[in-house]
Amino acid sequence: MLILKTLSLAIIFITCAILGYCYGQRFTLRYENLVSLEQCIKILETEIVYGATPLPTALSNVYKKGNPRVSYIFEKIKDDLLEKKRSFVFESFLEIEDELYGKMNLKKEDVEIMLSLGRVLGSSDRHDQSKVFKIVLNQIEAQIEDAKIEKNKNEKLYRNLGVLAGIGLIILLV
Amino acid sequence: MEIDLILKITGLGILVGIIHSLLNKFGKEEYAFIVTVVGLIVAFSMVVSLISKLFENLKVIFRL
């Protein structure tokens, strides 16, 4: 009986600790993904503005060069663009919107910035697009700063809270 | 006497204190306050039956 009790208490404690850890991890994930996304957009900028590569090839190159944890969405955009023969790139960007929210833990502002890039890509000349790239990169920079502050503030807090909540539950149950 | 209850409440008090200072440190004062209040309520709910017993005994002793 004692063993069973100890075991169940240990399971409760570990679950709480893991929950806290996972909750704290979301902030790190958002920060890392934003940094990778910035890199990918920089690669895309180089491809389009300096290389004058056609968009599907450029997107494919981003997928190959960027951090695969984030750059796979560019491959998805490319596939969607070619398979469904989209007339606007923005429609393909909308297709991956859920992916940005779900897997990558991005906030609404981050996703909006990404979508605003989709509105302009392939719809105007190089000069115009380079300006938009600059604005988007600036905005992402600000978001990264914001994510960093949030991460420093919350990550440790939620990890500690998880462990402490586990201890609290154990005290209440014993 | 039930020494277990005293130890339990002590543990709860220490824990709530730690959580309070942790939340305060990370700038979430309002949650720190809520945690303290919840801790207080939990501790009260643990001893409320004992307190009612105490009053019953007082009534009997002083014939009120």
Side-chain angles (χ1 to χ4, degrees):
Chain A
M1 207 56 203
L2 189 73
I3 297 171
L4 200 70
K5 218 173 170 182
T6 328
L7 204 70
S8 52
L9 285 181
I11 289 172
I12 288 172
F13 176 71
I14 290 168
T15 317
C16 281
I18 290 174
L19 271 180
Y21 183 82
C22 288
Y23 204 78
Q25 198 66 19
R26 289 188 335 167
F27 298 98
T28 317
L29 221 60
R30 180 185 168 220
Y31 173 69
E32 284 173 358
N33 284 337
L34 272 177
V35 171
S36 304
L37 193 65
E38 191 195 17
Q39 264 174 4
C40 286
I41 292 176
K42 271 181 184 160
I43 297 169
L44 190 64
E45 184 191 15
T46 323
E47 291 284 335
I48 289 174
V49 178
Y50 301 107
T53 325
L55 193 56
T57 325
L59 289 171
S60 187
N61 281 342
V62 172
Y63 170 62
K64 282 173 203 149
K65 288 177 189 165
N67 184 348
R69 242 189 7 212
V70 174
S71 68
Y72 76 96
I73 58 165
F74 290 93
E75 181 78 357
K76 269 195 171 176
I77 293 172
K78 185 202 109 188
D79 288 342
D80 186 77
L81 202 63
L82 293 181
E83 258 171 41
K84 294 185 180 158
K85 297 195 167 55
R86 304 277 195 195
S87 47
F88 296 107
V89 186
F90 184 57
E91 288 168 355
S92 297
F93 269 74
L94 279 180
E95 207 65 20
I96 52 121
E97 194 184 357
D98 287 338
E99 198 94 17
L100 292 173
Y101 278 121
K103 254 192 198 164
M104 290 165 63
N105 276 307
L106 295 185
K107 279 191 176 175
K108 199 166 184 302
E109 302 98 85
D110 316 335
V111 177
E112 278 305 320
I113 293 171
M114 184 71 186
L115 289 182
S116 74
L117 182 68
R119 280 195 196 96
V120 183
L121 271 189
S123 62
S124 57
D125 67 340
R126 245 193 319 174
H127 192 66
D128 198 36
Q129 285 186 37
S130 93
K131 272 184 196 165
V132 173
F133 268 117
K134 245 177 218 146
I135 294 169
V136 165
L137 284 173
N138 255 339
Q139 282 171 332
I140 284 198
E141 195 87 32
Q143 290 298 323
I144 286 175
E145 207 56 41
D146 176 56
K148 198 176 179 185
I149 292 169
E150 211 164 68
K151 178 190 145 204
N152 286 341
K153 216 166 143 191
N154 289 328
E155 196 192 6
K156 260 188 188 164
L157 172 75
Y158 283 114
R159 278 184 195 175
N160 286 331
L161 265 190
V163 174
L164 288 175
I167 296 173
L169 270 181
I170 287 176
I171 288 177
L172 286 181
L173 289 176
V174 164
Chain B
M1 251 320 266
E2 288 178 81
I3 198 78
D4 281 3
L5 192 67
I6 297 174
L7 289 178
K8 215 174 182 180
I9 290 174
T10 316
L12 194 72
I14 293 171
L15 200 83
V16 167
I18 294 172
I19 293 179
H20 182 92
S21 57
L22 191 80
L23 285 168
N24 251 342
K25 192 181 145 199
F26 287 99
K28 294 197 189 306
E29 282 85 5
E30 64 276 17
Y31 292 111
F33 180 70
I34 290 170
V35 166
T36 315
V37 171
V38 168
L40 191 74
I41 291 169
V42 170
F44 260 125
S45 67
M46 280 173 175
V47 295
V48 80
S49 62
L50 291 178
I51 291 174
S52 78
K53 220 182 198 171
L54 174 74
F55 279 117
E56 290 296 323
N57 288 343
L58 278 180
K59 266 188 199 169
V60 171
I61 290 167
F62 294 109
R63 294 204 185 89
L64 291 171

